[in-house]
Every structure is written in structure tokens, then in C-alpha cells.
Amino acid sequence: MNVAELKERLLKLVDVFEEKEELLTELDRAIGDGDHGVNMVRGFKALPDNIDDSSMQSLLKSTGMTLMSNIGGASGPLYGFSFVKMSQVVSDEIDRSNLQALLKTFSEAIAQRGKVTLNEKTMYDVIERANQAIQEDESLTRETLQSYADLTKDIEATKGRAAYFKKDSLGHVDPGAQSSVYILNALIGDDS
Ligand code: ADP
Ligand code: MG
């Protein structure tokens, strides 16, 4: 994947988030404050005016900075920081081995910034499982990514706003886990 291809995938995400805004709002209303849909749309809407496609590194860095200052909430800094971190390991052309480096960095960035581990009902559950699959050289479809997000249903939240809901958080997919399905699908999916 080259800069132009990745740029197109990132810019297309605003359409995905507009289509899924209501779903993310509902998920976040159940175990949060209901702003995750609006947050993600606002973040990706800001991309066209702020993206720098002069190199692969600038593309990911400018995306990270834009997401950091426009998404807001807990998820903005997490996604933003991750893209900035990925800009430090990306190569001019993303091949399989670079994709492994990118996913490893994405996952480590969330773990570090969010102080989160697996099965705490967050976006990390999806990002780390995707990372593991990519390291094993498995192909990742949107369905597989969705199955990772669906696993968060049966977990009681211990991080972020959802933790206040304690046992009431059971039975609901985590909103950040759901939004990370779309982001990961754009980065790695064959059907994005
Ligand atoms: P806020 O919770 O501030 O309203 P958002 O609604 O935009 O922010 O994002 C909520 C999502 O952020 C959660 O669904 C969860 O996936 C993610 N999240 C929150 N805190 C953490 C954390 N410490 N580590 C990883 N992800 C987190
Ligand atoms: Mg929220």
C-alpha cells in the first residue's frame, strides 16, 4: 500500500463513521455518555483539511494530530497518540512485515496510554487481537474484527466511563471496540 492508497482509505472513514454514527451513539449511551459516534465523525471530518500526504510518515502523523485534537473524549488521545506512534515505524510502502510493525505499535501505544490489558472491555481488546492475528500471518476480514468487538459484550468494564456501570456494562459491545473495527479494517482490510 502506498501513500495515495492509505490516504484514500483514511479519508473514506468519514463515510463509514457517518453511516455508523447512530450505532456508536447507542453503544456509548448504554455504557457511557453517548458521544462516541459524534466524536468519531468530528475527528474524521477534520482530516481532509489537515492531512499532509507528502510522505507516509507525514500522513500518519498528521492524521494522529488531527484525531487527537478533534475526536475528544477518552478515545481521541488514544487513537491520536497511536497514529503518531505508527508514523515512527511506517515505511514508504506498507507490506506485510511493515503491517506487523504497525499493528504492534498500535497495540503497544493503546496499552501504554490507556494503561489497559486484554479483556477490560475497551478498544484494546480488538486492537491487540488484530495485532496477534497479523503477527501469526492470518488474514483479517471485517467479520473477524467484528467477532473481536463482539467478545466485549460478555466482559464487565473496568476502564473508562463504562467502569461506572459495573455489572450493568455486561451485554453491551464496547463503543471503542466497535469503532476500532472500522479503523483497523481501513488499515488492513481487503474489503475496506
Ligand atoms: P469518553 O469515554 O470520554 O466519552 P469516548 O466515548 O469517545 O470517550 O470513547 C470511549 C471509548 O474509549 C471506550 O469505549 C473504550 O473503548 C475507550 N477507552 C476509554 N478508556 C480507555 C482506556 N483506559 N484504555 C483503552 N481504551 C479506553
Ligand atoms: Mg463517550
Side-chain angles (χ1 to χ4, degrees), residues 5 8 19 25 30 66 84 97 124 135 140 143-145 147 160 176:
E5 287 162 342
E8 199 190 327
E19 191 195 321
T25 299
T66 307
V84 171
S97 90
Y124 183 73
Q135 303 306 329
L140 262 184
E143 287 69 41
T144 307
L145 290 167
S147 74

Side-chain angles (χ1 to χ4, degrees), residues 60-179:
L60 286 182
K61 188 172 177 195
S62 59
T63 298
M65 302 298 280
T66 307
L67 297 181
M68 213 181 284
S69 48
N70 288 279
I71 295 181
S75 55
L78 290 165
Y79 282 137
F81 179 68
S82 302
F83 273 83
V84 171
K85 281 285 178 187
M86 285 192 282
S87 78
Q88 295 164 4
V89 299
V90 75
S91 24
D92 294 340
E93 175 83 36
I94 301 176
D95 59 8
R96 195 73 196 175
S97 90
N98 193 222
L99 191 60
Q100 291 176 332
L102 288 170
L103 266 284
K104 182 171 183 281
T105 302
F106 194 171
S107 181
E108 285 174 357
I110 298 289
Q112 182 196 340
R113 188 81 188 216
K115 299 186 173 53
V116 68
T117 54
L118 215 48
N119 296 323
E120 290 194 279
K121 199 182 183 86
T122 70
M123 57 174 67
Y124 183 73
D125 288 346
V126 175
I127 295 161
E128 170 54 13
R129 284 192 176 87
N131 172 41
Q132 287 172 7
I134 292 294
Q135 303 306 329
E136 307 273 302
D137 230 1
E138 289 166 20
S139 69
L140 262 184
T141 61
R142 179 144 162 180
E143 287 69 41
T144 307
L145 290 167
Q146 185 60 51
S147 74
Y148 300 156
D150 291 343
L151 289 173
T152 62
K153 252 189 186 180
D154 302 325
I155 298 170
E156 191 178 325
T158 50
K159 281 284 187 297
R161 262 178 225 285
Y164 296 112
F165 289 75
K166 300 199 164 75
K167 288 224 177 321
D168 289 338
S169 69
L170 285 167
H172 302 281
V173 169
D174 174 67
Q178 188 60 46
S179 64

Side-chain angles (χ1 to χ4, degrees), residues 51-63:
I51 215 161
D52 171 2
D53 63 358
S54 57
S55 70
M56 197 64 116
Q57 191 180 352
S58 320
L59 180 66
L60 286 182
K61 188 172 177 195
S62 59
T63 298

Side-chain angles (χ1 to χ4, degrees), residues 13-73:
L13 271 170
V14 71
D15 300 333
V16 177
F17 280 113
E18 280 182 335
E19 191 195 321
K20 305 294 182 185
E21 180 178 344
E22 193 51 40
L23 168 67
L24 294 172
T25 299
E26 277 167 29
L27 294 176
D28 197 31
R29 217 176 258 149
I31 61 166
D33 55 359
D35 64 353
H36 194 57
V38 176
N39 288 351
M40 296 308 291
V41 169
R42 192 176 49 237
F44 280 90
K45 255 197 180 150
L47 275 192
D49 287 342
N50 293 290
I51 215 161
D52 171 2
D53 63 358
S54 57
S55 70
M56 197 64 116
Q57 191 180 352
S58 320
L59 180 66
L60 286 182
K61 188 172 177 195
S62 59
T63 298
M65 302 298 280
T66 307
L67 297 181
M68 213 181 284
S69 48
N70 288 279
I71 295 181

